[in-house]
Amino acid sequence: MEKKKIRVIVWNEFRHERHNEKIKKIYPEGMHSVIAKHLNSQGDIVAGCATLDEPEHGLTQEVLDTTDVIIWWGHGAHREVKDEVVARVHKRVLEGMGIICLHSSHFSKIFKALMGTSCVLNWRDGGKERIWTIEPSHPIAEGIGPYFELPGTEMYGERFDIPSPEKIIFISWYPGGEVFRSGCVWERGHGRVFYFSPGHESFPIYYDQNILKIITNAVRWTAPRIMMKQECQNVPPIEK
Ligand code: ZN
């Protein structure tokens, strides 16, 4: 019998790529399409896309009910994401759906709801980034060397106001001397959460093979092991 594929939705705000010529050149069909195309080439994953300007941001209950992992990329329009959609995604994560929050999604409503902290960080414009693998035995780091570099990136630095991660898998270093917990995991309810910071829209970061490998590994790792309905179950009392 064929193994069930992991069903992924790559969600993107998809505004920069439509409104900024420079970014449109890098990602003519959006960052989500590049990520989804790579995931669909893997054989064990089937990835679709959803974007902010679709009705219900493309995230109806029906879509979420058949999604194992959601990947989230947002930046300038976090506030436009409807609270009811955020609540729907949040509930699904607690039930077991995996979520991967990329780059500026550190400030998305869903990531902040999952973390419960401000999620503020220190940032400045570009330069080089060296990403160190500090948990090489973690499944998300599979096939990644001791470190790799991105020639052009946006600096995200500490302090990052998140609850202490259950594992820090990657730490980034920048020539300005800053460091950042760039790849972290948590569990929330039955769901697994991965935050991964590289991915500023004006650099071709989602074409980088290490970045794509990490996202693919993270899809497999955050995929649900079990899906639980969040409603309370009535358990009969123990017989005396
Ligand atoms: Zn950015």
Side-chain angles (χ1 to χ4, degrees):
M1 207 176 84
E2 209 191 330
K3 209 172 157 246
K4 227 176 127 231
K5 292 188 180 191
I6 305 169
R7 301 161 300 179
V8 176
I9 290 287
V10 188
W11 189 90
N12 185 10
E13 191 174 286
F14 195 31
R15 292 271 176 88
H16 297 301
E17 303 98 315
R18 286 187 294 143
H19 301 151
N20 180 310
E21 283 307 317
K22 196 182 146 215
I23 295 161
K24 197 189 278 185
K25 269 210 180 102
I26 305 170
Y27 296 109
E29 290 163 57
M31 289 177 267
H32 53 293
S33 303
V34 174
I35 295 169
K37 193 174 161 205
H38 179 80
L39 294 175
N40 281 322
S41 73
Q42 299 300 301
D44 60 336
I45 299 168
V46 53
C49 297
T51 56
L52 178 68
D53 292 324
E54 291 170 47
E56 298 191 58
H57 316 316
L59 300 176
T60 60
Q61 190 63 54
E62 291 68 34
V63 167
L64 291 173
D65 280 345
T66 51
T67 299
D68 297 312
V69 178
I70 190 165
I71 298 175
W72 197 276
W73 198 102
H75 180 222
H78 294 315
R79 275 190 224 146
E80 292 180 46
V81 180
K82 289 192 196 111
D83 291 339
E84 64 192 75
V85 175
V86 177
R88 206 179 281 161
V89 174
H90 194 175
K91 183 168 179 283
R92 286 294 290 162
V93 173
L94 299 181
E95 290 172 352
M97 182 177 76
I99 184 163
I100 299 167
C101 291
L102 297 173
H103 189 58
S104 38
S105 302
H106 74 94
F107 252 1
S108 63
K109 285 182 180 177
I110 182 61
F111 187 67
K112 291 207 280 189
L114 288 163
M115 294 297 111
T117 53
S118 75
C119 301
V120 293
L121 47 75
N122 186 21
W123 66 275
R124 66 171 165 76
D125 276 342
K128 184 170 86 172
E129 176 174 358
R130 181 177 291 176
I131 298 159
W132 290 93
T133 306
I134 63 162
E135 291 289 354
S137 60
H138 195 283
I140 293 181
E142 196 189 310
I144 306 298
Y147 72 86
F148 65 97
E149 289 181 354
L150 296 171
T153 192
E154 183 180 47
M155 193 286 291
Y156 271 15
E158 298 288 343
R159 185 174 183 265
F160 185 18
D161 188 33
I162 45 172
S164 289
E166 285 154 29
K167 273 266 155 78
I168 302 168
I169 302 165
F170 302 104
I171 285 183
S172 288
W173 170 91
Y174 305 86
E178 304 92 344
V179 291
F180 189 66
R181 292 168 287 173
S182 47
C184 304
V185 294
W186 299 263
E187 291 201 9
R188 291 291 182 265
H190 301 281
R192 286 174 163 177
V193 181
F194 177 54
Y195 173 77
F196 190 47
S197 64
H200 186 67
E201 65 277 3
S202 59
F203 301 102
I205 289 171
Y206 295 123
Y207 294 99
D208 181 277
Q209 289 307 305
N210 282 306
I211 298 290
L212 288 169
K213 178 116 190 80
I214 290 166
I215 293 172
T216 307
N217 289 344
V219 163
R220 293 182 184 129
W221 187 78
T222 56
R225 294 134 295 155
I226 187 169
M227 271 287 189
M228 299 285 289
K229 278 282 161 205
Q230 220 190 316
E231 281 81 42
C232 284
Q233 289 158 3
N234 280 323
V235 180
I238 299 169
E239 281 178 47
K240 289 208 174 111

